Amino acid sequence: MGATSGQGRQAGGTPRAALADLLAGNRRFVSGQPAHGHDVTAAAAASGDQQPYAVVLGCIDSRVPLEAIFDQTFGAICVIRTGGHVLDRAVCGSIEYVVGQLGVPLVMVLGHERCGAVQATVEALRIGRRPGGSLAHLVDEIAPAVTEAGIDDPAVLPLAIRRHVRRTVHTLRRDDLLAGPVAVGRVAVVGGLYDLATGEVALLDPG
């Protein structure tokens, strides 16, 4: 697939085309042959109306810049980042807006290996001490995935990271304003995992 794919490159395209275009960008990133990368121009930033074809919800980790790892230029994708891609009303409302008002057909939830937010949750549960402040919200939202993975499992971190991605995907698929478009196939909500060592994004099955 080339740098652009018609339907996948505009709002209102199909979920399949949008996902194919997003993953094609990641392959360009991994191969070291980005079409955009960090060389996008100021002219591209001021090129006119946005027509995003996907919204990507990812983590705040500085090693996972979403536009770069998917090799996307200005106006191509909407990006939301929170610690451990945790949902709140502002995040859900933003996704509802992008899907409902801009016609975006794809929502991707992207987790990553060695996630610090998930690691912090594992540590909080192991010592039995909930953190203070708003950090407690992140821990509370990630904790079910850690519990499901098994707090005493030596592989709890990678297992919990994957479970948390799947739980986030399931929550968005049941969202009041997303469930209808998802049910009829106009919108897809998918989960992925970014490998810090290779730069590759792998899709996660629903689980």
Side-chain angles (χ1 to χ4, degrees):
M1 178 179 294
T4 61
S5 63
Q7 281 188 313
R9 278 280 229 199
Q10 61 186 356
T14 67
R16 183 186 296 272
L19 182 58
D21 207 52
L22 203 60
L23 295 178
N26 178 242
R27 289 194 295 272
R28 293 193 301 273
F29 169 75
V30 172
S31 70
Q33 298 179 317
H36 307 293
H38 294 286
D39 295 326
V40 289
T41 64
S47 60
D49 294 337
Q50 62 170 331
Q51 285 194 321
Y53 69 90
V55 54
V56 182
L57 170 60
C59 183
I60 61 170
D61 193 295
S62 61
R63 298 166 295 180
V64 193
L66 298 177
E67 291 91 344
I69 67 172
F70 286 113
D71 187 33
Q72 299 301 307
T73 190
F74 291 102
I77 62 175
C78 294
V79 166
I80 302 171
R81 299 176 70 173
T82 65
H85 57 78
V86 164
L87 297 173
D88 61 19
R89 291 184 66 186
V91 172
C92 290
S94 298
I95 294 173
E96 290 170 355
Y97 171 79
V98 171
V99 170
Q101 299 300 313
L102 300 184
V104 166
L106 179 70
V107 180
M108 174 175 279
V109 178
L110 188 69
H112 66 91
E113 301 287 7
R114 307 198 300 276
C115 179
V118 178
Q119 180 64 54
T121 303
V122 171
E123 293 171 358
L125 293 181
R126 281 180 171 167
I127 66 176
R129 184 180 303 161
R130 188 170 179 264
S134 297
L135 179 57
H137 174 66
L138 296 185
V139 170
D140 290 346
E141 292 298 303
I142 298 171
V146 175
T147 301
E148 290 174 7
I151 192 66
D152 296 321
D153 192 315
V156 62
L157 181 58
L159 291 173
I161 288 169
R162 287 157 175 76
R163 285 183 177 271
H164 181 50
V165 170
R166 293 183 176 109
R167 288 178 62 87
T168 307
V169 168
H170 290 164
T171 297
L172 288 173
R173 287 176 178 172
R174 296 193 300 270
D175 178 272
D176 288 345
L177 297 186
L178 300 180
V182 169
V184 299
R186 187 182 75 77
V187 173
V189 182
V190 301
L193 189 71
Y194 179 70
D195 189 323
L196 294 171
T198 67
E200 294 184 25
V201 171
L203 294 178
L204 296 180
D205 60 74

